[in-house]
Amino acid sequence: MIFSRYHRRNPVAIAKLAVGDLFYWFYAKAIRPCYPLPKHLNRILLVNPAHLGDVVVSTALIREIKRNYPECKIDFLAGDWSAPILKDHPGIERAYFVSHWHANRGNATIADKKRKYEDQVKQVMDRLKKKSYDTIFFLNSYEPSFISLFKNFKCPLVGYGSAGGGPLLTSIGESGKKNSVHEVQLQAQLFEPWLVAVKGVANYQPWLKDVGNVGVEGLIPNVSSKEAYVVIHPGSGNPAKEWPLESWVRVINVLQTYPFNILITGHGEREAVQAATLIEKLANSSNAKNLVGQLNFDQFSKVISGAKAVFCVDSVAGHIAGSYGTPTAVITNGLSKIERWHPLGKTIFLLENQVPCSPCHSNPCAQRACITGIAPQSLINQLPRILQV
């Protein structure tokens, strides 16, 4: 099969991917040998240039690989926004970073993002070419795809062709055929020759660094580390996923009847203003603390891991909370298939408003009924269960 089913709806984008894959098909036939899959995994490279939450999901596969091949040496290639979870990770030998402009949510111009990407590709690929991998796994099935960067590597390439580069792959996974399949199961599918059957989604747990020794004393004003608290994380890297502030106000006003402090977390100037506005609207703000921009990633993870509960939208906060087993309520959205992308973990509570126009991906409507239609009372009714009081 020359072309895979692409995860794009724009005819021009599909045509570009098809033309590229036509070239890669001729390249694979004329130049690239067909490398056999190894029987065992001794040294591998995992590639996932997607957003941070997606890479958190991928850490569940690191756990599975190490469980079955404890001596396997794993390198990881991702965008530099994933550095906080990959650097010094106990299951990773070396992390490399290439930030594709398509996935880069930074404030730089597109031209600057592209220059940074090209510079990183030159530096990192030279280093990776000196390695000798048994297999390279491309975990993400959506753009950006890094498959073509490895067309000269002398080892099997395993991944999905739905973002281009499929003809270069030794083994191609089947992406997106079942709506009920979670992203971690799609990624696990790539490892079936070595890890055997894909498990139920509840049996996968992300693997993040131990933050037990990370200090947060003095960073939370007027709150002792021994006092119970809940975390509110209203922001997202994609503002279209955010719940109205008025809905958060109603929930927090009820939360304040419980004996917990309220810690509001987030990142960046926009979310700091958002948190300040939220606190101003509360009936009583004496136990609400704005921590947006005051925590590094390890401290943020420490605060999340120690919370009585976390309340958030579809963002990295939910993925981190699920990783540490913190009870978490996630206000979902219809931009993507929540059954595929929800945080992993047995303590995750999803609040949904299903609409017929979902998923709309990068073209959300102004009404966003999938999000705004989630009533605050639906979360308030769940508080005793989530807080276990």
Side-chain angles (χ1 to χ4, degrees), residues 2 46 56 72 88 94 129 140 186 257 264 297 343 373 385:
I2 299 178
L46 305 182
V56 173
C72 179
D88 302 319
R94 180 74 183 271
K129 286 176 182 176
N140 62 309
L186 286 172
T257 65
I264 302 176
F297 190 86
R385 180 185 175 198

Side-chain angles (χ1 to χ4, degrees), residues 9-23:
R9 292 184 289 183
N10 185 314
V12 175
I14 293 174
K16 288 181 178 179
L17 290 173
V19 170
D21 275 359
L22 183 60
F23 166 77

Side-chain angles (χ1 to χ4, degrees), residues 377-388:
Q377 192 62 44
S378 64
L379 177 51
I380 292 169
N381 292 341
Q382 295 293 324
L383 290 181
R385 180 185 175 198
I386 296 168
L387 297 170
Q388 298 178 353

Side-chain angles (χ1 to χ4, degrees), residues 311-327:
F311 302 89
C312 62
V313 294
D314 178 18
S315 67
V316 70
H319 292 284
I320 294 172
S323 302
Y324 291 115
T326 304

Side-chain angles (χ1 to χ4, degrees), residues 1 3-7 141-142 160 162 172-183 185-186 189 337 339-340:
M1 176 173 157
F3 305 126
S4 301
R5 187 168 69 88
Y6 302 120
H7 283 322
S141 60
Y142 283 80
Y160 293 102
S162 45
I172 304 178
E174 295 182 1
S175 170
K177 286 194 172 182
K178 298 179 181 179
N179 290 336
S180 60
V181 174
H182 192 277
E183 176 67 11
Q185 294 171 305
L186 286 172
Q189 187 182 100
K337 298 176 181 178
E339 61 269 24
R340 176 169 178 175

